[in-house]
Amino acid sequence: MSNENQVKHWHVTYNNIHNLIRKNCPKIAVDFNPDLLVAIGIGFFPARVMRTFLREATTKKTLQIQAIGLSLYEPVEGVAEEKIAEEVIRTQWLGAEAGKMLLGKRVLIVDEVDDTRKTLSYALTELKRDVETELLNHPEADRDALRASTKFGIFVVHNKNKPKLAALPEGTTYYSGEEVDDVWLDYPWESTDIEEHDRLAALDVENAASATKKDV
Amino acid sequence: MSNENQVKHWHVTYNNIHNLIRKNCPKIAVDFNPDLLVAIGIGFFPARVMRTFLREATTKKTLQIQAIGLSLYEPVEGVAEEKIAEEVIRTQWLGAEAGKMLLGKRVLIVDEVDDTRKTLSYALTELKRDVETELLNHPEADRDALRASTKFGIFVVHNKNKPKLAALPEGTTYYSGEEVDDVWLDYPWESTDIEEHDRLAALDVENAASATKKDV
C-alpha cells in the first residue's frame, strides 16, 4: 500500500474556494481593508475572487493584484525530517520598484494553502526587506512613521493545522478561509476529470458529516 | 433601458473553463508543445489548469508559469469609437532577465479572452522586443538561428468573433478554447453569487440549444 493511500484526502471544488472567500471578505474589508494584493502562484485565482468581494464590501475600488512566484525545493529525498530544510526559490518577483509600490500600503499576501508556512514566511521577510531598501530613499526622521504605515497581512484559502516549520513576523494579520486537519488537499486545477473531482468532493463532505454524527 | 441590457450575456462556469482547456490540450501538446507559459492577469488560472493537462498529455514536465499584468486604459468617455484608442498599461512584467528567459523557448501566452486583441498584440510585441534585446548579447552570426528557435503562441479561453483593433505578428500560433459571438462574457470570478451564476450558465446553454432547434 502506498503512503499516499494512508493520507486522508479532501477534495476542494472551485465553488468551495469561491464561497470561502465570499464568507471571509466582509471581515477582511473592515479589519484589514487591503489596498494591494500580492498573489503567490495560483494564489492569483483566490486573489481575483477576493477583489470582486472586496469591491462589493467597501470602497468600490479595484485592487491591483501583483504576482510573485515561489517554489519549495527539496534537495534530497530520504533525509531525516528535521533536515529536509526546503529552500524557497524565487521564480518571479515584483519589479524594480517593489519597495516604492509597497511603502505605506496595507498589503495582503494571498496563497492557496499554508502548509509548512515556509513559503509565506519567506514572502513576508523579503517583501519587508524591499520596504527597508525603499526607506533608505527617505529622510531618516520619516522612516519610523513610513514603516509603521506599511501593513502586511496574509490570506490563505486553507490553513493546515500542523506544526509549522517557519514563523511569521510579529504583528502579521492572518486570515484563513478554512482551518483543516493535516490532510492531502486535492485542488480542482490539478484534476484531470473535474466531474469526478466534484463527485469525490461531495462524498468527502458526506463522509465528514456521518463521522461527526458517529462521534455524537 | 441601459445599454448593458441589450447585450447578450453568456455565463461561464469554472468547470466550463476547466473542460475547454482539457479539450484543447492534447492538440496544443502535439502541435506547439510549449515549454514556458506566460499568463496575462487572471490568465494565471487557465494557465495553471493547462499545466495539469499538458503534463498529462506529453512530457510529464512541470511548466513554469510567469505572470504579466496589463490593463487597457480608456482615457475619456464619450469619444467617437475610432478615437477611443485604449492605451495598454503594464502593471507587471517579467524580471530583468526576461529576454534570457524567453530566448530559444516555445512560449505560450495565456489569457482568458481575446476581445479587441489589443492586449495580446501588445504582449507579443513587447515579449519579442525583450528577445531582440537579449539577442544583442549573442554574436551576430548566431542571431537569426536563435530568433527562429524562439516561438510564440497564444491560448485564450474565449475568442470573440468581432472586428479586431490590433493584429498579431505573422506566424503567431493561435488557439482558442471556444469561439463565441460578440457577447458579454460573465466570468465566474466576477460573480458575487456563484450558485446563481451557475444556474444562469445552465439557462444560457438551454436557451442556446432551443434557439438552434428553432433555426432547424
Side-chain angles (χ1 to χ4, degrees):
Chain A
M1 194 196 263
S2 83
N3 188 46
E4 203 185 306
N5 284 336
Q6 300 170 319
V7 179
K8 208 186 141 206
H9 281 248
W10 183 255
H11 294 80
V12 182
T13 70
Y14 289 119
N15 284 10
N16 288 155
I17 295 170
H18 194 100
N19 283 328
L20 285 173
I21 293 161
R22 177 185 190 169
K23 198 176 98 184
N24 281 274
C25 270
K27 185 178 62 195
I28 293 170
V30 172
D31 283 3
F32 190 75
N33 188 21
D35 37 35
L36 177 65
L37 304 179
V38 174
I40 305 178
I42 185 59
F44 204 102
F45 162 49
R48 181 61 187 80
V49 177
M50 182 164 270
R51 180 163 98 184
T52 296
F53 285 108
L54 289 177
R55 191 167 44 201
E56 174 91 353
T58 49
T59 51
K60 306 290 167 199
K61 71 184 165 190
T62 300
L63 290 176
Q64 202 190 108
I65 305 171
Q66 288 281 318
I68 59 177
L70 297 172
S71 62
L72 281 174
Y73 173 64
E74 299 173 34
V76 197
E77 267 188 40
V79 293
E81 194 168 336
E82 67 272 20
K83 290 258 181 162
I84 285 179
E86 300 108 324
E87 295 281 335
V88 178
I89 310 284
R90 282 187 188 201
T91 55
Q92 183 163 19
W93 200 251
L94 307 178
E97 302 278 271
K100 205 184 280 283
M101 182 187 287
L102 299 166
L103 192 65
K105 298 261 175 66
R106 293 179 304 276
V107 182
L108 191 65
I109 299 162
V110 181
D111 205 351
E112 89 277 29
V113 65
D114 178 356
D115 186 29
T116 64
R117 197 157 285 173
K118 280 216 159 196
T119 311
L120 288 167
S121 170
Y122 177 92
L124 255 165
T125 308
E126 294 297 299
L127 291 170
K128 278 175 176 267
R129 195 196 305 274
D130 288 336
V131 171
E132 290 302 316
T133 305
E134 172 61 20
L135 281 173
L136 299 176
N137 299 325
H138 292 262
E140 208 172 335
D142 299 347
R143 289 181 198 160
D144 283 349
L146 285 167
R147 187 184 291 110
S149 74
T150 312
K151 308 279 187 196
F152 286 97
I154 285 174
F155 175 79
V156 291
V157 179
H158 295 102
N159 176 39
K160 290 192 190 177
N161 287 319
K162 63 189 281 187
K164 302 297 182 181
L165 302 178
L168 299 173
E170 211 166 323
T172 306
T173 308
Y174 186 94
Y175 303 99
S176 72
E178 193 171 38
E179 300 284 310
V180 294
D181 293 337
D182 189 10
V183 293
W184 183 285
L185 289 165
D186 289 283
Y187 281 111
W189 47 82
E190 283 166 1
S191 166
T192 53
D193 181 342
I194 198 69
E195 287 76 23
E196 173 66 4
H197 178 89
D198 286 0
R199 195 186 67 81
L200 293 172
L203 215 58
D204 286 344
V205 171
E206 217 173 279
N207 289 339
S210 78
T212 309
K213 239 182 231 164
K214 272 179 214 147
D215 288 350
V216 175
Chain B
M1 196 194 261
S2 85
N3 189 46
E4 204 186 304
N5 284 337
Q6 301 170 319
V7 179
K8 207 187 141 205
H9 280 249
W10 183 255
H11 294 80
V12 182
T13 70
Y14 289 117
N15 284 11
N16 288 156
I17 295 170
H18 195 100
N19 283 327
L20 285 173
I21 293 161
R22 177 184 190 169
K23 198 175 98 184
N24 282 275
C25 270
K27 185 178 63 195
I28 293 171
V30 171
D31 284 3
F32 190 76
N33 189 20
D35 37 34
L36 178 65
L37 303 179
V38 173
I40 304 178
I42 185 60
F44 204 101
F45 162 50
R48 181 60 188 80
V49 176
M50 182 164 270
R51 179 162 99 184
T52 296
F53 284 108
L54 290 176
R55 190 167 45 201
E56 175 91 352
T58 50
T59 51
K60 306 290 168 200
K61 71 184 166 189
T62 299
L63 289 177
Q64 203 192 107
I65 306 172
Q66 288 281 319
I68 60 177
L70 297 172
S71 62
L72 279 175
Y73 173 64
E74 298 173 33
V76 197
E77 267 186 42
V79 293
E81 194 166 335
E82 68 272 22
K83 291 260 186 166
I84 285 180
E86 298 110 327
E87 295 282 334
V88 178
I89 311 284
R90 284 187 188 200
T91 55
Q92 184 163 22
W93 201 251
L94 308 178
E97 303 278 271
K100 205 185 280 284
M101 181 186 287
L102 300 166
L103 191 67
K105 298 263 175 64
R106 294 180 303 278
V107 182
L108 192 66
I109 299 162
V110 182
D111 205 352
E112 89 276 29
V113 64
D114 178 355
D115 186 29
T116 64
R117 198 157 283 172
K118 281 216 157 193
T119 311
L120 288 167
S121 171
Y122 176 91
L124 256 165
T125 307
E126 294 296 300
L127 292 169
K128 278 174 176 267
R129 195 197 303 272
D130 288 336
V131 171
E132 290 303 316
T133 305
E134 172 61 19
L135 281 173
L136 299 176
N137 298 325
H138 293 261
E140 208 173 336
D142 299 347
R143 289 180 197 162
D144 282 350
L146 284 167
R147 187 184 291 113
S149 74
T150 312
K151 308 278 187 195
F152 287 97
I154 285 174
F155 174 79
V156 290
V157 179
H158 295 102
N159 177 37
K160 290 192 188 175
N161 287 318
K162 63 188 282 187
K164 301 297 183 181
L165 303 179
L168 300 173
E170 212 166 323
T172 307
T173 308
Y174 186 94
Y175 303 99
S176 71
E178 194 170 39
E179 299 284 309
V180 294
D181 293 338
D182 189 11
V183 293
W184 184 284
L185 290 165
D186 289 283
Y187 282 110
W189 46 82
E190 284 167 359
S191 166
T192 52
D193 181 342
I194 198 68
E195 286 76 23
E196 173 66 4
H197 178 88
D198 286 0
R199 195 186 66 81
L200 293 172
L203 215 57
D204 287 343
V205 172
E206 217 173 280
N207 289 340
S210 77
T212 309
K213 240 183 232 166
K214 273 179 212 147
D215 288 349
V216 175

